[in-house]
Structure formats: C-alpha cells, structure tokens
Amino acid sequence: MTIHKITMPTPFAVGDVNAWLLKGDALTLFDAGTNTTESEQAMLNGLKEAGCRPEDVEQVILTHHHPDHAGLVGLFGNARLLGHRYNEPWLTRDEAFFEYHDRFYEECLIEEGVPESYIHWVRKMKRPVEYIGKRPLDGVLEDGEEVPGHPGWSVVETLGHAQSHLAFFNEQGGEMIGGDLILGKISSNPLIEPPLDPGQGRPRSLLLYNDSMRRVADLPVGVIHPGHGKDVRGIRELVESRLVQQKQRALAVRDMLAEGPKTIFELTKRLFPQAYERELGLTLSETIGQTDWLVAEGLASETRKEDGVLHYEKV
Ligand SMILES: [Zn+2]
C-alpha cells in the first residue's frame, strides 16, 4: 500500500480529521492535524503503524490552512512544508495580515447589516489560530503543477471552503487527496475569508466552491481520500446532488425575499434561528452563499444603502 490514512481527534465540532501519508520517490504527509497533545499522539501512532517516524517525513503538503489541517507542521523538522501561498500569513502569524483581516470582517459585518453589539465576533472569526502550527512555507504549489516527489500526481486548486484550498490528483489511479472539498456526509461551509490581495474584494466563496466541485466531477476521479470521514466514491452523482440541494436552499431564500428586501443578517436569523448567535461566522457565510448564488443567477439584486448595508431584493 502506498497511501496510509492517519486519523486524529480535533477539539472542533467537525470531529476527527485525516492526514494521508503517501510513499513515492518522497515520503509525503498531506495535512498535519491539530496542534494539540491528543492529536500529536494519534499522529505518532499513525506514523508508527505505517512504519515510519516524524523525522522520516520529507514533505508536508497542506490541503488548506484551517486549524484541523495545519496544526502539527512543527513536528516534522526534516520535511519541507508546501502548500498554497494563502497559508503563509496564517503559518507565520503575519501581523499586518491580521490587522487587515479584522478590518475586512468589520466591513463585512457592516455590509451584512449585523448590529454593532456583535462586532466582537470579528475576533472569533480568526478561528483558533493557536491550533495552527507556526513555521513558514518552504515552497508554494500552483494549480497544474506536479506534486514534487510524486510523478503522476498533480495540484488542483479548489478554492471555496478555504482561500488556500488544494486537492491532489493521480490520474492513473483515479485517486484524489481531497482535503475538505468533497466530504461523504456534509458539504463544506463556503467560508468568507479575506483575499490575499485586498483589492480583490470579498471572495464569492460558494460560487468558487461550486466551480471547484464541478471541476473535480469532470475529472476521472474514482475515489477521494477526504479530510474527514471515509473515502468518497461516486463523485459525479454526489456533486450533482449537492448542487441540486444548493439550488433548492437558494430558491427558499428567494421566497423570503418575495416578502420585501432583506439584509444578510435578517436572512441569517430566519435561516438559522437556533444557531446564528452561537455560530455567527458560519451561519452568515452560509447565507451569503445563497445570496451570491441568487445574484449570480440574476434572481436577486444587491443594493448598497447610504449606511453601507447591502439589501437583497427578488428580481
Ligand atoms: Zn477540515
């Protein structure tokens, strides 16, 4: 067997996370769990099962920068750390980036019509940065490139869930190391994250996510080794059904807009009455996904009022 799965606990609602050890010309670990002692113990056990030690790992490659995937990068002192360039400010705790990050979310919350009393959520949206490892990338991977040390494996940029998201595809084997792009049981949250280039404006995360899923569905992928849960097969059908569900959710939001123009915050309270206060960031990004989709399809319009708040209206 050339690919070995290592499952680790996380302190997050998502539950366990997987890392994938791939033996080729190089010994490469895809993803690195969470920076906790429990996760580290599970990682060490998993490596031992695969017959290797942390110092044997020659490359650590990240599918994305989230704290359940980029945690234990410090454990692999002999390995080069590779991934999308968007990982870098998170891995190095770039102060200028985090100042811009907080301003970005403050501006988003205003646009979304979120009352002032919720602004403290900006800090929470930084996600638990301390669970992410702290070391810079040794190299950047770009879409279409061959994965170093693994002839036949290529990098597939798959933004949407994260602005750093990459998947890795071996055409000959029909295998993909998929990160959080396509999970068996749930669709990933299209998180709103500040773009590296502030001039780009807020990313349309759900639209990016849908494009990434379609792109992967068009590749001859037989099996995805995901970031959470069991291997996923029947990718094309799964993507199709996720896109149909997605459309239905957006059309339900359009029905709400039939009652009159609404802000993102108003829609979020309606869509997630139980969860919106506890999980404001996640529920807002789900709602923004619906309105972005409706606007892109020409089914809703977006108008900026004088106070900077965006109002959505049925077209
Ligand atoms: Zn994850």
Side-chain angles (χ1 to χ4, degrees), residues 64 68-69 161 180 228:
H64 59 300
D68 45 339
H69 298 261
H161 171 61
D180 286 356
H228 304 273

Side-chain angles (χ1 to χ4, degrees), residues 66 127 159-162 180-181 183 186-193 205-206 209 249 272 279-289:
H66 291 169
R127 314 194 91 213
L159 306 185
H161 171 61
D180 286 356
L181 175 68
L183 306 177
I186 43 166
S187 61
S188 300
N189 192 295
L191 290 167
I192 303 300
E193 295 176 326
S205 297
L206 181 74
Y209 183 63
R249 267 185 245 140
F272 306 99
E279 289 291 0
L280 189 61
L282 295 176
T283 53
L284 286 170
S285 57
E286 287 284 355
T287 306
I288 291 164

Side-chain angles (χ1 to χ4, degrees), residues 130-186:
E130 69 272 21
Y131 291 119
I132 301 177
K134 201 174 177 187
R135 67 173 274 196
L137 288 175
D138 297 302
V140 163
L141 296 176
E142 311 253 6
D143 185 54
E145 239 179 85
E146 187 169 83
V147 177
H150 299 278
W153 285 82
S154 59
V155 177
V156 188
E157 190 179 74
T158 39
L159 306 185
H161 171 61
Q163 287 296 306
S164 57
H165 204 286
L166 301 176
F168 304 93
F169 178 46
N170 176 13
E171 178 147 18
Q172 210 186 355
E175 268 181 297
M176 176 172 272
I177 293 169
D180 286 356
L181 175 68
I182 295 170
L183 306 177
K185 290 201 175 135
I186 43 166

Side-chain angles (χ1 to χ4, degrees), residues 112-287:
E112 292 153 14
V114 177
E116 189 107 14
S117 55
Y118 289 90
I119 300 292
H120 66 275
W121 268 91
V122 166
R123 251 160 255 126
K124 190 147 184 185
M125 275 180 224
K126 214 174 284 174
R127 314 194 91 213
V129 173
E130 69 272 21
Y131 291 119
I132 301 177
K134 201 174 177 187
R135 67 173 274 196
L137 288 175
D138 297 302
V140 163
L141 296 176
E142 311 253 6
D143 185 54
E145 239 179 85
E146 187 169 83
V147 177
H150 299 278
W153 285 82
S154 59
V155 177
V156 188
E157 190 179 74
T158 39
L159 306 185
H161 171 61
Q163 287 296 306
S164 57
H165 204 286
L166 301 176
F168 304 93
F169 178 46
N170 176 13
E171 178 147 18
Q172 210 186 355
E175 268 181 297
M176 176 172 272
I177 293 169
D180 286 356
L181 175 68
I182 295 170
L183 306 177
K185 290 201 175 135
I186 43 166
S187 61
S188 300
N189 192 295
L191 290 167
I192 303 300
E193 295 176 326
L196 266 193
D197 170 8
Q200 276 185 330
R202 175 177 73 71
R204 287 354 188 204
S205 297
L206 181 74
L207 307 183
L208 292 170
Y209 183 63
N210 288 348
D211 286 347
S212 296
M213 284 204 294
R214 278 191 206 103
R215 187 173 171 204
V216 167
D218 283 342
L219 293 172
V221 181
V223 59
I224 291 184
H225 306 303
H228 304 273
K230 294 185 183 145
D231 281 354
V232 187
R233 292 168 205 277
I235 314 298
R236 204 163 290 181
E237 296 74 19
L238 186 63
V239 165
E240 215 157 281
S241 74
R242 294 256 161 99
L243 290 171
V244 168
Q245 275 172 14
Q246 154 56 40
K247 182 176 176 177
Q248 284 162 347
R249 267 185 245 140
L251 292 178
V253 169
R254 188 169 184 249
D255 289 342
M256 290 179 193
L257 296 179
E259 302 160 10
K262 293 205 166 31
T263 68
I264 295 288
F265 186 63
E266 288 165 348
L267 290 168
T268 302
K269 284 201 287 187
R270 288 275 295 272
L271 287 168
F272 306 99
Q274 309 299 327
Y276 82 93
E277 287 204 291
R278 191 166 22 95
E279 289 291 0
L280 189 61
L282 295 176
T283 53
L284 286 170
S285 57
E286 287 284 355
T287 306

